[in-house]
């Protein structure tokens, strides 16, 4: 799929139109990512769980922001024949790429975000505001280390593992980094801690490669339909990520009961 240039100007309402979002999924749940690289919708651990990021509906509904500090131009695309999203961020100082995906074969659903600086330097800001149950409750935050943050509510514990040091403030997490060309780093969010050892970034890269292979192998079953192949492929991949793997049923949408107007 070709790169699409994004205008980072929200409407006066402060909300992106729904058609500006790109979807991730692992056939258990789904996330929506806006043109600015913010995850504004995610339910964990499955489609019908309460959202932990819900800013698509409410400005304080929770989000996972990963953005340039200075003015930027942004291009996005799906990695060819997959449901992996690539966001290319270009600033006066440098260029970097975010790759977003959900692990298709992990013990429980995981949202992965991986950064690679390809030119110059990158001044990046991260903000994670986790709001369980559609923002109706407040989770208890703890920081076992600057690279491992947890939120706890009832029986659920959400784990955020990072290659960069993060700073908790009240119930939210922030970070700001200046990275040189060639630098690679990542974030992983899920209901299990995963591997927060020094080797976790290498394991995340292996997970990315396995996820890309899964989608591309599945797409080989889709026939080539000439001029319409790109549209048919994207439709098929979207329906596949909306399929609930334990039953084979397809959910109507990754979201729930969205109003026509905010």
């Amino acid at each position: 799929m070709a790169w699409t240039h994004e205008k980072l100007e929200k409407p006066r309402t402060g909300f992106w139109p729904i058609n500006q979002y790109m979807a991730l999924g692992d056939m258990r749940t789904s996330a929506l990512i806006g043109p600015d690289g913010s995850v504004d919708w995610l339910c964990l651990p499955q489609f019908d769980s309460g959202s932990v990021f819900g800013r698509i509906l409410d400005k304080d509904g929770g989000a996972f922001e990963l953005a340039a500090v200075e003015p930027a131009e942004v291009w996005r695309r799906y990695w060819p024949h997959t449901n992996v999203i690539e966001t290319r961020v270009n600033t006066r100082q440098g260029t970097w790429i975010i790759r977003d995906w959900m692990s298709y074969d992990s013990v429980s659903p995981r949202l992965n975000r991986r950064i690679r600086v390809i030119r110059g330097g990158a001044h990046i800001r991260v903000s994670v505001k986790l709001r369980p149950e559609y923002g109706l409750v407040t989770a208890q935050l703890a920081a076992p280390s600057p690279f491992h943050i947890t939120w706890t509510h009832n029986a659920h514990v959400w784990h955020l593992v990072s290659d960069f040091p993060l700073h908790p403030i009240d119930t939210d997490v922030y970070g700001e980094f200046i990275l040189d060309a060639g630098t690679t780093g990542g974030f992983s969010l899920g209901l299990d801690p995963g591997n927060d050892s020094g080797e976790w970034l290498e394991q995340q890269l292996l997970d990315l490669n396995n996820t890309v292979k899964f989608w591309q192998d599945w797409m080989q079953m889709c026939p080539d339909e000439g001029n319409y192949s790109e549209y048919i492929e994207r439709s098929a991949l979207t329906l596949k990520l909306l399929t609930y793997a334990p039953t084979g049923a397809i959910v109507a949408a990754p979201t729930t009961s969205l109003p026509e107007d905010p």
Side-chain angles (χ1 to χ4, degrees), residues 163-176:
D163 198 52
F164 307 106
L166 300 171
H167 308 286
I169 301 177
D170 297 327
T171 61
D172 302 331
V173 175
Y174 301 90
E176 192 168 313

Side-chain angles (χ1 to χ4, degrees), residues 3 5 67-76 86-99 114-124 177-185:
W3 293 95
H5 183 250
V69 172
E70 62 179 343
E73 288 187 297
V74 171
W75 289 262
R76 295 191 298 167
E86 290 188 304
T87 302
R88 183 185 180 101
V89 183
N90 187 50
T91 70
R92 185 176 60 180
Q93 293 182 346
T95 301
W96 45 288
I97 288 178
I98 310 171
R99 285 178 175 153
R114 189 176 178 92
I115 299 168
R116 181 167 62 92
V117 184
I118 60 177
R119 179 186 67 84
H123 192 179
I124 301 170
F177 324 105
I178 298 177
L179 308 176
D180 296 326
T183 302
T184 299

Side-chain angles (χ1 to χ4, degrees), residues 59-243:
K59 292 179 182 178
D60 194 37
F64 188 158
E65 299 179 3
L66 194 56
V69 172
E70 62 179 343
E73 288 187 297
V74 171
W75 289 262
R76 295 191 298 167
R77 70 170 183 173
Y78 283 101
W79 195 326
H81 319 302
T82 75
N83 281 315
V84 176
I85 296 173
E86 290 188 304
T87 302
R88 183 185 180 101
V89 183
N90 187 50
T91 70
R92 185 176 60 180
Q93 293 182 346
T95 301
W96 45 288
I97 288 178
I98 310 171
R99 285 178 175 153
D100 293 306
W101 75 97
M102 298 196 75
S103 307
Y104 86 95
D105 63 348
S106 61
V107 175
S108 66
R110 302 196 66 81
L111 171 67
N112 293 284
R113 316 200 72 184
R114 189 176 178 92
I115 299 168
R116 181 167 62 92
V117 184
I118 60 177
R119 179 186 67 84
H123 192 179
I124 301 170
R125 179 190 300 116
V126 60
S127 167
V128 184
K129 300 179 180 180
L130 191 132
R131 302 285 189 270
E133 298 298 330
Y134 308 103
L136 295 176
V137 301
T138 300
Q140 182 179 358
L141 185 148
S145 82
F147 307 95
H148 183 187
I149 308 295
T150 66
W151 290 265
T152 303
H153 175 68
N154 291 340
H156 291 309
V157 182
W158 295 271
H159 296 263
L160 174 65
V161 181
S162 170
D163 198 52
F164 307 106
L166 300 171
H167 308 286
I169 301 177
D170 297 327
T171 61
D172 302 331
V173 175
Y174 301 90
E176 192 168 313
F177 324 105
I178 298 177
L179 308 176
D180 296 326
T183 302
T184 299
F187 306 85
S188 183
L189 175 70
L191 281 165
D192 68 86
N195 184 349
D196 60 355
S197 69
E199 299 178 354
W200 85 271
L201 194 64
E202 288 74 15
Q203 293 190 353
Q204 190 190 47
L205 178 58
L206 178 62
D207 181 84
L208 172 60
N209 292 336
N210 290 339
T211 300
V212 168
K213 184 177 186 301
F214 167 78
W215 290 116
Q216 291 181 342
D217 286 351
W218 184 80
M219 275 309 304
Q220 288 183 357
M221 295 185 293
C222 187
D224 188 341
E225 296 294 339
N227 294 335
Y228 302 99
S229 290
E230 182 178 339
Y231 304 101
I232 293 172
E233 175 180 306
R234 182 48 43 198
S235 296
L237 284 164
T238 301
L239 290 172
K240 185 65 172 177
L241 75 83
L242 292 175
T243 301

